[in-house]
Amino acid sequence: LLLNDLAWLPRPVLSAIVIHAVSHSLNPEVFRPYFKLHRDRKVVIGTIVGVIVLGVLALGSSLMGSRNELVTQREEYKAAFQQVDVDLQRRLDLIPNLVETTKGIAQQERDVFGQIAESRSKLAGARNPQETIQAANEQSAALARLVVVVENYPDLRSSATFNRLMDELSGTENRIAVERMRYNERVQEYNTARRQFPGNITAGIFSFKEYPL
């Protein structure tokens, strides 16, 4: 049993111990230093293994917490974009009546009407948030030009129908601006969390991609 406890020692060392023990009539005290060394070795190995296990558990817990946070933030910016999309759709619904009312008096402004129609078509066919935002920006620019053109037509500015549509459009533009600001904030929060530790590790493992504003 004693030799089994010392089996971890190199064979030459073990042979020397046996010879030494035999010469001392197998006095148990002879083995005490070796037993202590054996116990100390087990303690060191056990400590190292324990530290490694605790480190792995702590890292795993941190990564899972980071993953849950990124998932939550991703859902938040998606929800914010949905609200932006709702307001953009409201503006799309206003444009046909606005254009028809304007055309009745300002028929020669074909370039403006063409730009509005083109931007409306792009927005309706957008396949992702980036395309939607780009088309929405083009539409905003076209509508802004229409507002400038209207200044040249007093009869149009005095039209009750036109003024009502412009008021609705103005209110919709304000809602779009507010919702886009919230959307940009959610995207910025997500991108920042994705770049910071341990989010950068989590993003690499679980494929959380950077999201453009």
Side-chain angles (χ1 to χ4, degrees):
L1 179 60
L2 295 177
L3 292 178
N4 287 337
D5 290 336
L6 300 176
W8 60 277
L9 292 171
R11 186 175 296 276
V13 175
L14 185 58
S15 299
I17 293 174
V18 172
I19 295 172
H20 183 62
V22 170
S23 65
H24 286 77
S25 301
L26 295 176
N27 184 352
E29 293 297 323
V30 173
F31 293 94
R32 188 177 300 279
Y34 304 103
F35 290 154
K36 184 177 184 302
L37 179 61
H38 184 50
R39 289 194 301 270
D40 291 347
R41 181 171 178 267
K42 284 186 175 180
V43 170
V44 171
I45 294 175
T47 301
I48 293 174
V49 171
V51 169
I52 292 175
V53 170
L54 289 175
V56 171
L57 291 176
L59 179 60
S61 176
S62 178
L63 289 178
M64 291 308 298
S66 175
R67 179 184 180 279
N68 292 338
E69 180 181 357
L70 288 176
V71 169
T72 299
Q73 291 176 333
R74 184 173 62 185
E75 293 306 312
E76 287 178 349
Y77 77 62
K78 286 182 178 180
F81 177 76
Q82 289 299 321
Q83 188 57 50
V84 172
D85 199 42
V86 168
D87 289 326
L88 289 176
Q89 186 59 50
R90 182 181 291 110
R91 185 172 70 178
L92 276 178
D93 294 339
L94 285 173
I95 287 177
N97 290 334
L98 180 64
V99 169
E100 287 302 316
T101 301
T102 307
K103 276 184 176 180
I105 299 176
Q107 295 181 4
Q108 63 270 35
E109 304 295 342
R110 294 179 181 178
D111 288 345
V112 177
F113 298 136
Q115 290 174 3
I116 293 175
E118 182 180 359
S119 66
R120 189 171 186 270
S121 178
K122 286 183 178 179
L123 191 56
R127 295 168 295 180
N128 54 56
Q130 289 73 40
E131 291 182 2
T132 298
I133 295 299
Q134 181 178 354
N137 290 339
E138 293 179 9
Q139 189 173 80
S140 295
L143 290 172
R145 186 178 176 188
L146 176 64
V147 172
V148 172
V149 167
V150 165
E151 295 297 322
N152 298 324
Y153 299 92
D155 292 343
L156 188 58
R157 287 187 285 117
S158 63
S159 168
T161 301
F162 177 79
N163 287 328
R164 177 180 58 79
L165 290 171
M166 288 302 296
D167 287 341
E168 291 183 25
L169 179 63
S170 177
T172 301
E173 292 287 0
N174 290 336
R175 284 192 292 271
I176 291 174
V178 171
E179 296 303 334
R180 283 193 62 175
M181 182 178 66
R182 291 175 180 169
Y183 165 74
N184 288 339
E185 288 175 352
R186 299 293 86 78
V187 172
Q188 187 62 48
E189 289 172 358
Y190 165 81
N191 286 337
T192 299
R194 182 188 173 279
R195 296 189 195 106
Q196 293 176 338
F197 180 85
N200 52 352
I201 298 177
T202 306
I205 295 174
F206 297 103
S207 299
F208 286 93
K209 297 181 180 180
E210 181 108 357
Y211 205 83
L213 294 172

